[in-house]
Every structure is written in structure tokens, then in C-alpha cells.
Amino acid sequence: MTLKFNNTLTGHIDEFVSLKDGKVSLYTCGPTVYNYPHIGNWAAYIYWDILVRILMANSYDVNRVMNITDVGHLVSDADEGEDKLEVGAKREGKTAWEIAEFYTADFLSGMKKLNLIIPQHVTKATEYIPQQLDLIRQLKEKSFTYQTSDGIYYDTSKFIQYADFAHLDLTAQKSGTRVEVSSEKRNPSDFALWKFTPTGEKRDMQWSTPADLLEDGSWNMEDGEPQDSNSQIPIANSQRMGFPGWHLECSAMAMSLLGNTIDIHTGGIDAIPVHHTNEIAQSEAVTGVRFANYWLHNNFLKVNGTKISKSLGNVYLLSDLIEKGFNPIDFRMFILQGNYRNEGNFTFDNLTAAKNRLNNWKNTAAIRHQINSTDGNKSVAPFAVSQAIIEAVNDDLGTPAALKIVDEAFSQIAAAKLADINRGSLIQMLETIDSVLGLQIIDSTPDIGDEAKQIIMQRRQARDQKDWAVSDKLRDQLLQMHIVIRDTADDSIWEYEL
RNA sequence: GGCGCGAUGACGGAACGGUCACGUAGAGGUCUGCAAAACCUUUUAAGUGGGUUCGACUCCCACUCGUGCCUCCA
């Protein structure tokens, strides 16, 4: 059984081989916590959750880091503009620290709602400032850095293979029409490792710049000691306050927790040409070894056939789906119907279709409560189904194929006599579905109460006596309890009214 | 403008050089005391135009449209 992924690094589907037997180090670019994530953001985390689950299903011990970008992600990736966190703080009249705390908590609660496995390490960029400064120090020692009036920059021309990862055409970029206002940058692709707090500006999040990182350094402050912006800092000194560049954060956290080379790095396709290219440049310039062996990138989710953007007014949040009566797991099912590499198209009709499919699954799962024997003589839920599900997902997170396998197995079960179904293998199959696809089938399909069971038995007796009036009355009673009965030739099977 | 990605039925969405999954919705039917479910059937599905081939949805080229990055957003 082999795991295969479409690897951006090589440009084709590669068989997965981990660095250490039975262990996988995984880094996922996490959210910038300045606002609520929209459903497109969540789609990515669902894909990577499937990645974690399938690695675990293949008996890998997964060590995963997901960063929380709580400082330094500027409005523009060109190292211009304001910090998103500071923008959020102004918008809501709070400090950047409060903004980060609020949206981090919201993100984690969203993860739980979508049944996403929480990574072993959820790291905040602000808690890794010394590591980031140390990375700059090492880059400086190797002469990859230079200083401008507004920060410390990475000289991408010193990293020969800079353009390789994203197949960039740097000369075209250079001759492009883009003319920047502030270009003390030596090359258009150079990026900030550390930005100085602009003179006269008060930032909530800033740290002193270690003297040895400065070209004219004579400042003597503790590395990465957070400074209260309200304290009286002389203007000259405040110029040397600063904050990390967005790209640096990921490199520092990934390497300090997972080592110089990690197995898998994931992110959105938009991160390929800038963010991930820069991560590679920073990390590999320091270590001299490959930063990540496998890079997986998710495509974007469209809404109503077009991109998600605020100006189009089609930015939906998880809370919007819940308000319209959907369960977050319905959305998860919707995402699992497609492959991470393709654009999906979200509409409420499509979400309803996914919800209906999931409801049908739940009613099949409920059959387990209605089987008395553990040894149905026909193996309607064969062991092989579990294996087939895993193999489908092993093939580049092929969840659509896995769903098909479940559909086919479930339709056999739904068509079978209760007495013929093997309870143990049905439950085992449900467990596999839940562990690999995370759809919470078992948890969402509890048994019905004794009272309802009594009514079903009474109705069965009435039916045997062909007392249709009583039978129908009892069926109505069950409907009051949101239980639907379907009579087959052999059984009366209850379902949830979903 | 530069560098990419994509286009499959009503909708979502796979695989595959020859027989076109699966799901949701609609229609018809079988079954049924009724209902529901299940099962069966269902309108010549591949953006357009060429090419390669005995044969292309699948490979190649062009175009159109959509979309991504460079220029906020996974």
C-alpha cells in the first residue's frame, strides 16, 4: 500500500517516503488571526486534516506544526503597507494582542466544529521571536542580508536557485511595469526579514532589534524582549524597534520544532511564488539542505462560480452556514466530494446535496442499532471496504473515490435484510469512515430511546394483525419523535427525520 | 503585460486511448394495505476549432471563457 501526493517540488505525483521510518513531520501554514476565516480558508484546513488522517491510517506517527500568524503579515506581500493585525486592532478599537487572542480562539473553536484534528504544535509567531532573530543572524553571517532604512532584507540574488520552486521568471518580474515607491530593495523579489517600526509610529507588537543584526549596531537590548509601546522610548531607539517579516516566521517555527528538513509542507497555491519560495530561500540558505521533501498546495474554492472576495459580497463564514441550518460537517462532506487540487464551486444547492448524502449515510449507520445478532451470515459489510477506503485516499487524497466506495457498500447494506448484516463489520466500517474522513458518523447517530422502541414493537404487532389504523397511528407518533419508519418485506427499519 | 492552472450531464464530481463512476435533484416504472425506502429506467455529458490515431472526454496545437500569482485574501 503506497501513499502518493502531487508534489509541487517535482511537479508530479510522487510516492511518499518519510525521512524517518514510521514518522512524518508536517508543517501547515495556518491562519493570520486578524479576522474570521471564510469557507475558502476552511476548505484548505479540511484537505490537510484528511492528509493527517490518511497518514495516521497508514500507521505514521504524525508530528505537525501549524503556525498562528499573529504579527508581521502585511497588507501587501511586497513588504509594504500595514500589518494586518494592527489594521484589525484599529478597526475594532482593541490592541493587536487582543485581536490575535480573539481570532485565535475563534479559529480553534472552528477547528473543533469541523472535526479537524488539532496539530501537536499550534505555534504563535510572537512566541518564536528569538528563533526568528537567530535565523536572521545566521543569514547575516552568510551575507544573505542587507539593511535599508525600513528593515533588514534578504538578497534573493544570492540564493541561486531562488526561482526554481515556482518557476519564476525573475527578469520578466524585474522589467515588469511595477514601479515601487520605496525601493531600496536590490531586487524586486527581495523580501523583509525584519521591519523596523517606522519613526513616530506606535505599534502594539514590536521587539527590540538585537545590536549585532544592525549594520551600525550599538544598541544593547535583550533579544526579542517584548516592549510595551506605551513606555517612554527615545525616538532614536524606537527606530530600532521592529517586528518579523511574515515569511521568516514560518521558517523559524518549522525548523525549530521539526528540524532542518521536514517531510511535508502544505499551503494554498497562492503561497507558491512568494511565501513558500521565500521560506525555502531563508531556510536552505542557512542549512544547506532541502527544507521540505513534499509540498502540497490546495486550489481555491469558488463561490457561485466566481472567486471569493469582499467586493463581490460572497464571503461566507462558518457561522453563515450554521445560521442557514447546516451542520459544519455538512460542509466538510461538500469539500470531501472534490479533490484539493481542483477549484471547487460552493453554492447552497451544492451544500444541500452534500448534506443529503451525509444524511443518507447517517441512516445507514443507524442500522447498527437495529441488528441483534453479531454474526449475520452474509458479510454485507466486508472488511475489504475499510481497506478500499484507505487505498482510495492514499492516492493523492482521493476522497471522491473513497465516498463512492462508501456509497456502494452502504447501498448493499440498505438493501439487505437486517438478519443478514454483520453488525461487527458494519461498525468497523463506520469506524474507518470516521477516522479517515472525519465525518462523525458514529457520534451523530445515537440509538433511539426505549419508548420509541416500544412503539415500534407495538406497531409491528398491529401490522402482523393487519390493523392498519393502529399501525398508522403509531407511525404518526414516531414521526412526532422525529423518527421515520420504512417497512421492507422483512423488517421495519427506523430512520432519523433529517 | 509576465508566469501558471482549469473547462465533464440540471448541479457537485471521478476514472479512463475503445465499454463514460458516484452523489444530489427531476421524470417514469417495479414493489407496497398506505407511506417511506430500496431497486430498475431515464433525456446522443465533455467550451470552440483543428490535428495525431483504426478509435479521443482522455494525447497535441490554437482560440474562447474562468481563475491564481506578480498587485490584500487559503
Side-chain angles (χ1 to χ4, degrees), chain A residues 139-167:
Chain A
L139 286 166
K140 184 167 189 271
E141 282 163 10
K142 293 181 187 245
S143 305
F144 280 95
T145 67
Y146 61 91
Q147 187 174 323
T148 71
S149 61
D150 69 343
I152 301 169
Y153 281 77
Y154 184 103
D155 187 342
T156 54
S157 67
K158 299 258 176 81
F159 188 66
I160 317 282
Q161 55 278 49
Y162 183 78
D164 293 354
F165 181 68
H167 312 290

PDB file of all heavy atoms in Angstrom, chain A residues 139-167:
ATOM      1  N   LEU A 139      21.655  34.166   8.682  1.00  0.00           N
ATOM      2  CA  LEU A 139      21.634  34.646   7.300  1.00  0.00           C
ATOM      3  C   LEU A 139      22.605  35.808   7.123  1.00  0.00           C
ATOM      4  O   LEU A 139      23.266  35.930   6.093  1.00  0.00           O
ATOM      5  CB  LEU A 139      20.210  35.080   6.916  1.00  0.00           C
ATOM      6  CG  LEU A 139      19.214  33.940   6.683  1.00  0.00           C
ATOM      7  CD1 LEU A 139      17.783  34.464   6.644  1.00  0.00           C
ATOM      8  CD2 LEU A 139      19.532  33.191   5.391  1.00  0.00           C
ATOM      9  N   LYS A 140      22.688  36.632   8.164  1.00  0.00           N
ATOM     10  CA  LYS A 140      23.592  37.779   8.084  1.00  0.00           C
ATOM     11  C   LYS A 140      25.045  37.309   8.026  1.00  0.00           C
ATOM     12  O   LYS A 140      25.841  37.802   7.235  1.00  0.00           O
ATOM     13  CB  LYS A 140      23.393  38.688   9.298  1.00  0.00           C
ATOM     14  CG  LYS A 140      24.221  39.966   9.268  1.00  0.00           C
ATOM     15  CD  LYS A 140      23.757  40.963  10.326  1.00  0.00           C
ATOM     16  CE  LYS A 140      24.441  42.313  10.156  1.00  0.00           C
ATOM     17  NZ  LYS A 140      25.716  42.404  10.894  1.00  0.00           N
ATOM     18  N   GLU A 141      25.328  36.307   8.855  1.00  0.00           N
ATOM     19  CA  GLU A 141      26.693  35.765   8.859  1.00  0.00           C
ATOM     20  C   GLU A 141      27.072  35.201   7.504  1.00  0.00           C
ATOM     21  O   GLU A 141      28.229  35.227   7.098  1.00  0.00           O
ATOM     22  CB  GLU A 141      26.820  34.677   9.936  1.00  0.00           C
ATOM     23  CG  GLU A 141      26.974  35.253  11.335  1.00  0.00           C
ATOM     24  CD  GLU A 141      26.688  34.231  12.432  1.00  0.00           C
ATOM     25  OE1 GLU A 141      26.553  33.035  12.098  1.00  0.00           O
ATOM     26  OE2 GLU A 141      26.584  34.655  13.610  1.00  0.00           O
ATOM     27  N   LYS A 142      26.099  34.683   6.792  1.00  0.00           N
ATOM     28  CA  LYS A 142      26.368  34.116   5.470  1.00  0.00           C
ATOM     29  C   LYS A 142      26.168  35.144   4.359  1.00  0.00           C
ATOM     30  O   LYS A 142      26.107  34.782   3.183  1.00  0.00           O
ATOM     31  CB  LYS A 142      25.463  32.903   5.233  1.00  0.00           C
ATOM     32  CG  LYS A 142      25.799  31.744   6.157  1.00  0.00           C
ATOM     33  CD  LYS A 142      24.925  30.520   5.907  1.00  0.00           C
ATOM     34  CE  LYS A 142      25.188  29.467   6.958  1.00  0.00           C
ATOM     35  NZ  LYS A 142      25.773  28.238   6.409  1.00  0.00           N
ATOM     36  N   SER A 143      25.986  36.406   4.761  1.00  0.00           N
ATOM     37  CA  SER A 143      25.888  37.526   3.813  1.00  0.00           C
ATOM     38  C   SER A 143      24.683  37.466   2.882  1.00  0.00           C
ATOM     39  O   SER A 143      24.757  37.865   1.723  1.00  0.00           O
ATOM     40  CB  SER A 143      27.162  37.611   2.958  1.00  0.00           C
ATOM     41  OG  SER A 143      28.279  37.696   3.779  1.00  0.00           O
ATOM     42  N   PHE A 144      23.586  36.958   3.398  1.00  0.00           N
ATOM     43  CA  PHE A 144      22.365  36.958   2.589  1.00  0.00           C
ATOM     44  C   PHE A 144      21.498  38.192   2.877  1.00  0.00           C
ATOM     45  O   PHE A 144      20.444  38.349   2.289  1.00  0.00           O
ATOM     46  CB  PHE A 144      21.526  35.701   2.867  1.00  0.00           C
ATOM     47  CG  PHE A 144      22.017  34.477   2.147  1.00  0.00           C
ATOM     48  CD1 PHE A 144      22.880  33.577   2.765  1.00  0.00           C
ATOM     49  CD2 PHE A 144      21.617  34.221   0.836  1.00  0.00           C
ATOM     50  CE1 PHE A 144      23.333  32.450   2.095  1.00  0.00           C
ATOM     51  CE2 PHE A 144      22.070  33.089   0.161  1.00  0.00           C
ATOM     52  CZ  PHE A 144      22.928  32.201   0.789  1.00  0.00           C
ATOM     53  N   THR A 145      21.941  39.000   3.825  1.00  0.00           N
ATOM     54  CA  THR A 145      21.072  40.103   4.234  1.00  0.00           C
ATOM     55  C   THR A 145      21.682  41.456   3.923  1.00  0.00           C
ATOM     56  O   THR A 145      22.891  41.580   3.695  1.00  0.00           O
ATOM     57  CB  THR A 145      20.816  40.053   5.753  1.00  0.00           C
ATOM     58  OG1 THR A 145      22.055  40.325   6.428  1.00  0.00           O
ATOM     59  CG2 THR A 145      20.311  38.699   6.183  1.00  0.00           C
ATOM     60  N   TYR A 146      20.831  42.452   3.883  1.00  0.00           N
ATOM     61  CA  TYR A 146      21.296  43.833   3.840  1.00  0.00           C
ATOM     62  C   TYR A 146      20.263  44.692   4.535  1.00  0.00           C
ATOM     63  O   TYR A 146      19.109  44.285   4.697  1.00  0.00           O
ATOM     64  CB  TYR A 146      21.551  44.302   2.407  1.00  0.00           C
ATOM     65  CG  TYR A 146      20.351  44.289   1.487  1.00  0.00           C
ATOM     66  CD1 TYR A 146      19.532  45.420   1.363  1.00  0.00           C
ATOM     67  CD2 TYR A 146      20.042  43.158   0.722  1.00  0.00           C
ATOM     68  CE1 TYR A 146      18.441  45.415   0.513  1.00  0.00           C
ATOM     69  CE2 TYR A 146      18.958  43.151  -0.132  1.00  0.00           C
ATOM     70  CZ  TYR A 146      18.149  44.283  -0.238  1.00  0.00           C
ATOM     71  OH  TYR A 146      17.063  44.276  -1.078  1.00  0.00           O
ATOM     72  N   GLN A 147      20.681  45.858   4.937  1.00  0.00           N
ATOM     73  CA  GLN A 147      19.795  46.719   5.705  1.00  0.00           C
ATOM     74  C   GLN A 147      19.378  47.928   4.886  1.00  0.00           C
ATOM     75  O   GLN A 147      20.184  48.491   4.147  1.00  0.00           O
ATOM     76  CB  GLN A 147      20.537  47.171   6.967  1.00  0.00           C
ATOM     77  CG  GLN A 147      19.655  47.931   7.941  1.00  0.00           C
ATOM     78  CD  GLN A 147      20.405  48.228   9.243  1.00  0.00           C
ATOM     79  OE1 GLN A 147      21.193  47.415   9.725  1.00  0.00           O
ATOM     80  NE2 GLN A 147      20.169  49.406   9.793  1.00  0.00           N
ATOM     81  N   THR A 148      18.105  48.304   4.985  1.00  0.00           N
ATOM     82  CA  THR A 148      17.644  49.547   4.369  1.00  0.00           C
ATOM     83  C   THR A 148      17.124  50.432   5.484  1.00  0.00           C
ATOM     84  O   THR A 148      17.212  50.070   6.660  1.00  0.00           O
ATOM     85  CB  THR A 148      16.496  49.285   3.362  1.00  0.00           C
ATOM     86  OG1 THR A 148      15.323  48.917   4.102  1.00  0.00           O
ATOM     87  CG2 THR A 148      16.864  48.171   2.384  1.00  0.00           C
ATOM     88  N   SER A 149      16.563  51.553   5.101  1.00  0.00           N
ATOM     89  CA  SER A 149      16.068  52.455   6.152  1.00  0.00           C
ATOM     90  C   SER A 149      14.881  51.854   6.888  1.00  0.00           C
ATOM     91  O   SER A 149      14.581  52.237   8.005  1.00  0.00           O
ATOM     92  CB  SER A 149      15.673  53.796   5.538  1.00  0.00           C
ATOM     93  OG  SER A 149      14.644  53.592   4.587  1.00  0.00           O
ATOM     94  N   ASP A 150      14.190  50.880   6.274  1.00  0.00           N
ATOM     95  CA  ASP A 150      12.996  50.366   6.941  1.00  0.00           C
ATOM     96  C   ASP A 150      13.098  48.915   7.391  1.00  0.00           C
ATOM     97  O   ASP A 150      12.130  48.366   7.909  1.00  0.00           O
ATOM     98  CB  ASP A 150      11.749  50.572   6.065  1.00  0.00           C
ATOM     99  CG  ASP A 150      11.754  49.691   4.827  1.00  0.00           C
ATOM    100  OD1 ASP A 150      12.829  49.171   4.469  1.00  0.00           O
ATOM    101  OD2 ASP A 150      10.686  49.511   4.224  1.00  0.00           O
ATOM    102  N   GLY A 151      14.243  48.305   7.181  1.00  0.00           N
ATOM    103  CA  GLY A 151      14.308  46.938   7.673  1.00  0.00           C
ATOM    104  C   GLY A 151      15.538  46.175   7.209  1.00  0.00           C
ATOM    105  O   GLY A 151      16.442  46.732   6.578  1.00  0.00           O
ATOM    106  N   ILE A 152      15.532  44.908   7.579  1.00  0.00           N
ATOM    107  CA  ILE A 152      16.604  44.022   7.159  1.00  0.00           C
ATOM    108  C   ILE A 152      16.039  43.103   6.083  1.00  0.00           C
ATOM    109  O   ILE A 152      14.996  42.464   6.297  1.00  0.00           O
ATOM    110  CB  ILE A 152      17.139  43.196   8.342  1.00  0.00           C
ATOM    111  CG1 ILE A 152      17.666  44.131   9.430  1.00  0.00           C
ATOM    112  CG2 ILE A 152      18.228  42.229   7.876  1.00  0.00           C
ATOM    113  CD1 ILE A 152      17.959  43.417  10.744  1.00  0.00           C
ATOM    114  N   TYR A 153      16.703  43.067   4.960  1.00  0.00           N
ATOM    115  CA  TYR A 153      16.158  42.345   3.810  1.00  0.00           C
ATOM    116  C   TYR A 153      17.021  41.152   3.412  1.00  0.00           C
ATOM    117  O   TYR A 153      18.210  41.080   3.719  1.00  0.00           O
ATOM    118  CB  TYR A 153      16.018  43.305   2.612  1.00  0.00           C
ATOM    119  CG  TYR A 153      14.799  44.180   2.718  1.00  0.00           C
ATOM    120  CD1 TYR A 153      14.785  45.280   3.578  1.00  0.00           C
ATOM    121  CD2 TYR A 153      13.655  43.903   1.983  1.00  0.00           C
ATOM    122  CE1 TYR A 153      13.664  46.083   3.695  1.00  0.00           C
ATOM    123  CE2 TYR A 153      12.524  44.689   2.089  1.00  0.00           C
ATOM    124  CZ  TYR A 153      12.536  45.778   2.951  1.00  0.00           C
ATOM    125  OH  TYR A 153      11.424  46.560   3.064  1.00  0.00           O
ATOM    126  N   TYR A 154      16.371  40.261   2.700  1.00  0.00           N
ATOM    127  CA  TYR A 154      17.031  39.072   2.166  1.00  0.00           C
ATOM    128  C   TYR A 154      17.379  39.368   0.716  1.00  0.00           C
ATOM    129  O   TYR A 154      16.510  39.776  -0.068  1.00  0.00           O
ATOM    130  CB  TYR A 154      16.077  37.884   2.244  1.00  0.00           C
ATOM    131  CG  TYR A 154      16.659  36.551   1.822  1.00  0.00           C
ATOM    132  CD1 TYR A 154      17.035  35.596   2.764  1.00  0.00           C
ATOM    133  CD2 TYR A 154      16.790  36.224   0.463  1.00  0.00           C
ATOM    134  CE1 TYR A 154      17.544  34.372   2.374  1.00  0.00           C
ATOM    135  CE2 TYR A 154      17.308  35.003   0.069  1.00  0.00           C
ATOM    136  CZ  TYR A 154      17.686  34.074   1.033  1.00  0.00           C
ATOM    137  OH  TYR A 154      18.187  32.853   0.640  1.00  0.00           O
ATOM    138  N   ASP A 155      18.617  39.157   0.359  1.00  0.00           N
ATOM    139  CA  ASP A 155      19.054  39.396  -1.018  1.00  0.00           C
ATOM    140  C   ASP A 155      18.857  38.122  -1.840  1.00  0.00           C
ATOM    141  O   ASP A 155      19.653  37.195  -1.791  1.00  0.00           O
ATOM    142  CB  ASP A 155      20.528  39.813  -1.028  1.00  0.00           C
ATOM    143  CG  ASP A 155      20.984  40.227  -2.431  1.00  0.00           C
ATOM    144  OD1 ASP A 155      20.303  39.877  -3.418  1.00  0.00           O
ATOM    145  OD2 ASP A 155      22.020  40.903  -2.527  1.00  0.00           O
ATOM    146  N   THR A 156      17.764  38.098  -2.607  1.00  0.00           N
ATOM    147  CA  THR A 156      17.422  36.858  -3.312  1.00  0.00           C
ATOM    148  C   THR A 156      18.405  36.523  -4.434  1.00  0.00           C
ATOM    149  O   THR A 156      18.465  35.375  -4.872  1.00  0.00           O
ATOM    150  CB  THR A 156      15.997  36.946  -3.901  1.00  0.00           C
ATOM    151  OG1 THR A 156      15.898  38.123  -4.702  1.00  0.00           O
ATOM    152  CG2 THR A 156      14.968  36.993  -2.791  1.00  0.00           C
ATOM    153  N   SER A 157      19.166  37.505  -4.872  1.00  0.00           N
ATOM    154  CA  SER A 157      20.124  37.204  -5.947  1.00  0.00           C
ATOM    155  C   SER A 157      21.280  36.339  -5.426  1.00  0.00           C
ATOM    156  O   SER A 157      21.993  35.716  -6.198  1.00  0.00           O
ATOM    157  CB  SER A 157      20.675  38.499  -6.553  1.00  0.00           C
ATOM    158  OG  SER A 157      21.475  39.179  -5.590  1.00  0.00           O
ATOM    159  N   LYS A 158      21.410  36.276  -4.098  1.00  0.00           N
ATOM    160  CA  LYS A 158      22.487  35.462  -3.521  1.00  0.00           C
ATOM    161  C   LYS A 158      22.078  33.990  -3.430  1.00  0.00           C
ATOM    162  O   LYS A 158      22.920  33.125  -3.186  1.00  0.00           O
ATOM    163  CB  LYS A 158      22.816  35.971  -2.105  1.00  0.00           C
ATOM    164  CG  LYS A 158      23.303  37.410  -2.068  1.00  0.00           C
ATOM    165  CD  LYS A 158      24.806  37.456  -1.898  1.00  0.00           C
ATOM    166  CE  LYS A 158      25.336  38.888  -1.963  1.00  0.00           C
ATOM    167  NZ  LYS A 158      25.167  39.585  -0.676  1.00  0.00           N
ATOM    168  N   PHE A 159      20.803  33.752  -3.565  1.00  0.00           N
ATOM    169  CA  PHE A 159      20.321  32.370  -3.483  1.00  0.00           C
ATOM    170  C   PHE A 159      20.030  31.919  -4.920  1.00  0.00           C
ATOM    171  O   PHE A 159      18.986  32.240  -5.494  1.00  0.00           O
ATOM    172  CB  PHE A 159      19.059  32.303  -2.607  1.00  0.00           C
ATOM    173  CG  PHE A 159      18.578  30.906  -2.297  1.00  0.00           C
ATOM    174  CD1 PHE A 159      19.346  30.041  -1.517  1.00  0.00           C
ATOM    175  CD2 PHE A 159      17.364  30.450  -2.793  1.00  0.00           C
ATOM    176  CE1 PHE A 159      18.907  28.753  -1.230  1.00  0.00           C
ATOM    177  CE2 PHE A 159      16.920  29.152  -2.513  1.00  0.00           C
ATOM    178  CZ  PHE A 159      17.693  28.311  -1.733  1.00  0.00           C
ATOM    179  N   ILE A 160      20.980  31.200  -5.486  1.00  0.00           N
ATOM    180  CA  ILE A 160      20.966  30.911  -6.936  1.00  0.00           C
ATOM    181  C   ILE A 160      19.669  30.256  -7.395  1.00  0.00           C
ATOM    182  O   ILE A 160      19.137  30.572  -8.443  1.00  0.00           O
ATOM    183  CB  ILE A 160      22.133  29.953  -7.310  1.00  0.00           C
ATOM    184  CG1 ILE A 160      23.408  30.360  -6.597  1.00  0.00           C
ATOM    185  CG2 ILE A 160      22.293  29.901  -8.831  1.00  0.00           C
ATOM    186  CD1 ILE A 160      24.147  31.499  -7.132  1.00  0.00           C
ATOM    187  N   GLN A 161      19.193  29.316  -6.580  1.00  0.00           N
ATOM    188  CA  GLN A 161      18.036  28.547  -7.041  1.00  0.00           C
ATOM    189  C   GLN A 161      16.713  29.193  -6.638  1.00  0.00           C
ATOM    190  O   GLN A 161      15.688  28.520  -6.595  1.00  0.00           O
ATOM    191  CB  GLN A 161      18.130  27.096  -6.567  1.00  0.00           C
ATOM    192  CG  GLN A 161      18.288  26.838  -5.082  1.00  0.00           C
ATOM    193  CD  GLN A 161      19.710  26.952  -4.554  1.00  0.00           C
ATOM    194  OE1 GLN A 161      20.410  27.934  -4.826  1.00  0.00           O
ATOM    195  NE2 GLN A 161      20.150  25.984  -3.777  1.00  0.00           N
ATOM    196  N   TYR A 162      16.747  30.496  -6.356  1.00  0.00           N
ATOM    197  CA  TYR A 162      15.548  31.177  -5.867  1.00  0.00           C
ATOM    198  C   TYR A 162      14.335  30.968  -6.762  1.00  0.00           C
ATOM    199  O   TYR A 162      13.222  30.734  -6.290  1.00  0.00           O
ATOM    200  CB  TYR A 162      15.810  32.687  -5.717  1.00  0.00           C
ATOM    201  CG  TYR A 162      14.628  33.430  -5.145  1.00  0.00           C
ATOM    202  CD1 TYR A 162      14.360  33.388  -3.784  1.00  0.00           C
ATOM    203  CD2 TYR A 162      13.762  34.145  -5.967  1.00  0.00           C
ATOM    204  CE1 TYR A 162      13.259  34.035  -3.248  1.00  0.00           C
ATOM    205  CE2 TYR A 162      12.654  34.798  -5.433  1.00  0.00           C
ATOM    206  CZ  TYR A 162      12.410  34.734  -4.085  1.00  0.00           C
ATOM    207  OH  TYR A 162      11.314  35.381  -3.556  1.00  0.00           O
ATOM    208  N   ALA A 163      14.519  31.024  -8.060  1.00  0.00           N
ATOM    209  CA  ALA A 163      13.381  30.991  -8.982  1.00  0.00           C
ATOM    210  C   ALA A 163      12.872  29.585  -9.245  1.00  0.00           C
ATOM    211  O   ALA A 163      11.794  29.413  -9.813  1.00  0.00           O
ATOM    212  CB  ALA A 163      13.773  31.647 -10.307  1.00  0.00           C
ATOM    213  N   ASP A 164      13.616  28.585  -8.827  1.00  0.00           N
ATOM    214  CA  ASP A 164      13.311  27.221  -9.253  1.00  0.00           C
ATOM    215  C   ASP A 164      11.959  26.704  -8.768  1.00  0.00           C
ATOM    216  O   ASP A 164      11.200  26.127  -9.539  1.00  0.00           O
ATOM    217  CB  ASP A 164      14.403  26.256  -8.763  1.00  0.00           C
ATOM    218  CG  ASP A 164      15.730  26.537  -9.451  1.00  0.00           C
ATOM    219  OD1 ASP A 164      15.737  27.396 -10.361  1.00  0.00           O
ATOM    220  OD2 ASP A 164      16.745  25.921  -9.082  1.00  0.00           O
ATOM    221  N   PHE A 165      11.675  26.878  -7.513  1.00  0.00           N
ATOM    222  CA  PHE A 165      10.494  26.243  -6.920  1.00  0.00           C
ATOM    223  C   PHE A 165       9.209  26.635  -7.652  1.00  0.00           C
ATOM    224  O   PHE A 165       8.393  25.793  -7.998  1.00  0.00           O
ATOM    225  CB  PHE A 165      10.395  26.616  -5.438  1.00  0.00           C
ATOM    226  CG  PHE A 165       9.230  25.980  -4.732  1.00  0.00           C
ATOM    227  CD1 PHE A 165       9.200  24.615  -4.513  1.00  0.00           C
ATOM    228  CD2 PHE A 165       8.176  26.756  -4.273  1.00  0.00           C
ATOM    229  CE1 PHE A 165       8.128  24.021  -3.850  1.00  0.00           C
ATOM    230  CE2 PHE A 165       7.099  26.168  -3.612  1.00  0.00           C
ATOM    231  CZ  PHE A 165       7.086  24.804  -3.406  1.00  0.00           C
ATOM    232  N   ALA A 166       9.068  27.930  -7.895  1.00  0.00           N
ATOM    233  CA  ALA A 166       7.824  28.398  -8.505  1.00  0.00           C
ATOM    234  C   ALA A 166       7.991  28.647 -10.002  1.00  0.00           C
ATOM    235  O   ALA A 166       7.096  29.165 -10.654  1.00  0.00           O
ATOM    236  CB  ALA A 166       7.357  29.678  -7.812  1.00  0.00           C
ATOM    237  N   HIS A 167       9.142  28.274 -10.553  1.00  0.00           N
ATOM    238  CA  HIS A 167       9.441  28.512 -11.979  1.00  0.00           C
ATOM    239  C   HIS A 167       9.239  29.985 -12.306  1.00  0.00           C
ATOM    240  O   HIS A 167       8.560  30.340 -13.265  1.00  0.00           O
ATOM    241  CB  HIS A 167       8.559  27.629 -12.876  1.00  0.00           C
ATOM    242  CG  HIS A 167       8.544  26.199 -12.430  1.00  0.00           C
ATOM    243  ND1 HIS A 167       9.640  25.372 -12.554  1.00  0.00           N
ATOM    244  CD2 HIS A 167       7.588  25.454 -11.840  1.00  0.00           C
ATOM    245  CE1 HIS A 167       9.341  24.181 -12.053  1.00  0.00           C
ATOM    246  NE2 HIS A 167       8.107  24.199 -11.603  1.00  0.00           N
TER     247      HIS A 167
END
